[in-house]
Amino acid sequence: MVRIGVIGAGDIGFSHIRRITEDLHGGRITAVTDIDEGHAAQAAAFCGARVFPDGESLIASPEVDAVIVASWDATHEGYVLACIAAGKPVLCEKPLSVSEESCRRIVDAEMAAGRRLVKVGFMRRYDEGYRAVRDAMYGAIGQPLIVHCAHRNKCGYAQHCTENSVKNSTVHEIDLMRWMLGEDMRTAQVFAGRASSRGGEGLKDPLTVLLESESGVRIDVEVFINSGIGYEVHCTAVGEDGVADMPEPARLAVRAANQKAEYISDDWKVRFYHAYNRLFQQFIDEVQAGCLTAPSAWDGFMATYTAECCVKALYSGGIEPIAPLTRPDFYGKE
Ligand code: NAP
């Protein structure tokens, strides 16, 4: 049984505690910490874990074999580095960290430790819909040429700013495109048009992010944080021989009073429920086997590095080159 400590028992941290306790096998939550004592106490009461005063003592505890980092983005680096120093596997929520330099420190520390200890919570790789589109590429639709993506949230956090739309949200599409196409991006351009009145003052929302892969595949991403609709993601790939539309998960359609309506969930918890379960089950299994696979710290680094180039493009208004980086042999070919 893998004894797991969770740092950050807020919205997503608690959902992971619930899935490991109720849905998955091979793992048990033994330790929880959160700067919000109420969140920590509630989570600990739910799963029977011990509350630790801080992340550092949780990571050092002999009651903890592996760690989940689900606190805010700016806190990820310190906790992930502490896990590497303690030799404990860690699943870190996305983004791996807030800057290229910060992610680079994690990659360097992991390579210096000499074994893979970091997995990043890019759960969309585990979604059946995205997997089906990926399978169609170079298969049913032939060589991919264009990919259209949409990423809509119902409403953003109070503190959400335009850069977050890129560094916290579009990182998902950046990671997906690297994973689907098997290559990195070479240019970025970002357009902020008319802003929705639903966003806060000064928030540029929605954004259109244009990426070009190393081989020339064109990718457009609509990122709309305050759509007011619900949580929606879409992906359509156009290939040499056809088009692949990502299938939607089955949803109840109700016909009544001369109308047909389908429920759209509020957030990622429902839409990616099964994908998260697959990711976390794989993490537990890999901890037991002693070998972590992708999404790796390198994937987390590349997503944040590419997102920072997108932020430059947002401010310059031009096409920003994304300098190619060599993937260290340490991270294999996954
Ligand atoms: P949240 O509801 O605010 O939960 C974060 C929790 O961590 C809060 O209880 C917060 O306390 C606590 N915290 C903050 N700093 C801490 C620290 N230094 N040590 C321990 N606890 C700390 O936020 P969330 O929505 O769960 O997001 C958490 C992380 O998950 C973020 O990195 C986010 O990007 C990621 N996330 C990923 C996805 C995805 O699609 N994979 C979806 C949602 C979120 P306070 O409330 O007092 O600040």
Side-chain angles (χ1 to χ4, degrees):
M1 183 66 69
V2 179
R3 298 167 306 164
I4 300 170
V6 177
I7 300 174
D11 202 13
I12 203 162
F14 189 80
S15 78
H16 296 332
I17 289 169
R18 182 186 288 279
R19 82 182 69 257
I20 288 168
T21 305
E22 294 184 340
D23 298 335
L24 307 184
H25 56 86
R28 185 163 60 88
I29 309 294
T30 52
V32 177
T33 188
D34 195 298
I35 51 167
D36 181 319
E37 290 176 6
H39 283 168
Q42 188 187 22
F46 173 78
C47 62
R50 189 149 83 81
V51 175
F52 281 70
D54 50 50
E56 290 74 15
S57 59
L58 178 146
I59 292 165
S61 168
E63 294 165 34
V64 170
D65 305 316
V67 176
I68 293 169
V69 174
S71 47
W72 265 102
D73 303 5
T75 68
H76 291 183
E77 180 192 349
Y79 293 136
V80 173
L81 288 176
C83 289
I84 294 171
K88 295 194 180 176
V90 52
L91 195 157
C92 179
E93 261 303 340
K94 63 82 202 161
L96 175 59
S97 193
V98 291
S99 70
E100 175 191 345
E101 295 74 25
S102 172
C103 292
R104 176 64 87 175
R105 285 192 284 274
I106 292 173
V107 164
D108 288 347
E110 192 183 35
M111 289 199 293
R115 70 185 173 109
R116 294 269 294 273
L117 289 162
V118 182
K119 199 171 180 84
V120 181
F122 283 127
M123 77 297 181
R124 293 196 194 179
R125 292 185 182 205
Y126 297 77
D127 177 65
E128 284 179 354
Y130 283 112
R131 280 180 173 256
V133 176
R134 183 188 193 232
D135 289 347
M137 288 178 177
Y138 300 102
I141 66 164
Q143 179 164 279
L145 306 172
I146 301 171
V147 188
H148 307 288
C149 302
H151 178 150
R152 301 190 191 106
N153 293 74
K154 188 172 182 182
C155 60
Y157 298 103
Q159 67 273 32
H160 186 91
C161 64
T162 307
E163 281 194 21
N164 277 354
S165 299
V166 178
K167 292 174 71 172
N168 187 285
S169 299
T170 313
V171 281
H172 274 304
E173 275 74 16
I174 293 170
D175 179 65
L176 281 170
M177 291 305 110
R178 291 185 63 253
W179 170 72
M180 283 182 169
L181 299 169
E183 54 182 345
D184 290 323
M185 303 299 122
R186 72 177 177 202
T187 66
Q189 201 172 5
V190 179
F191 296 98
R194 174 188 285 177
S196 163
S197 59
R198 289 173 181 276
E201 191 163 336
L203 184 71
K204 295 179 168 62
D205 185 42
L207 297 177
T208 305
V209 178
L210 299 184
L211 297 164
E212 184 189 17
S213 77
E214 282 167 340
S215 72
V217 178
R218 304 299 314 220
I219 298 143
D220 56 89
V221 187
E222 174 203 319
V223 192
F224 194 178
I225 302 299
N226 293 280
S227 75
I229 300 167
Y231 185 81
E232 288 190 306
V233 292
H234 298 291
C235 179
T236 295
V238 179
E240 277 190 359
D241 303 323
V243 172
D245 287 315
M246 185 165 80
E248 295 273 340
R251 287 192 299 227
L252 181 71
V254 174
R255 292 189 298 282
N258 303 91
Q259 291 193 339
K260 180 178 170 186
E262 277 183 37
Y263 173 74
I264 300 173
S265 61
D266 268 349
D267 65 20
W268 35 267
K269 281 192 225 71
V270 175
R271 174 62 183 79
F272 288 111
Y273 176 80
H274 296 292
Y276 278 119
N277 278 0
R278 286 187 201 107
L279 165 67
F280 278 79
Q281 189 61 61
Q282 187 187 65
F283 177 65
I284 292 167
D285 295 346
E286 289 178 353
V287 171
Q288 278 173 330
C291 170
L292 294 191
T293 62
S296 65
W298 180 254
D299 295 318
F301 166 79
M302 285 304 298
T304 294
Y305 167 67
T306 307
E308 288 204 318
C309 294
C310 293
V311 171
K312 272 188 222 155
L314 171 70
Y315 292 129
S316 73
I319 301 174
E320 286 294 326
I322 304 174
L325 299 178
T326 305
R327 179 191 191 91
D329 292 341
F330 179 81
Y331 290 102
K333 292 200 190 319
E334 319 167 275

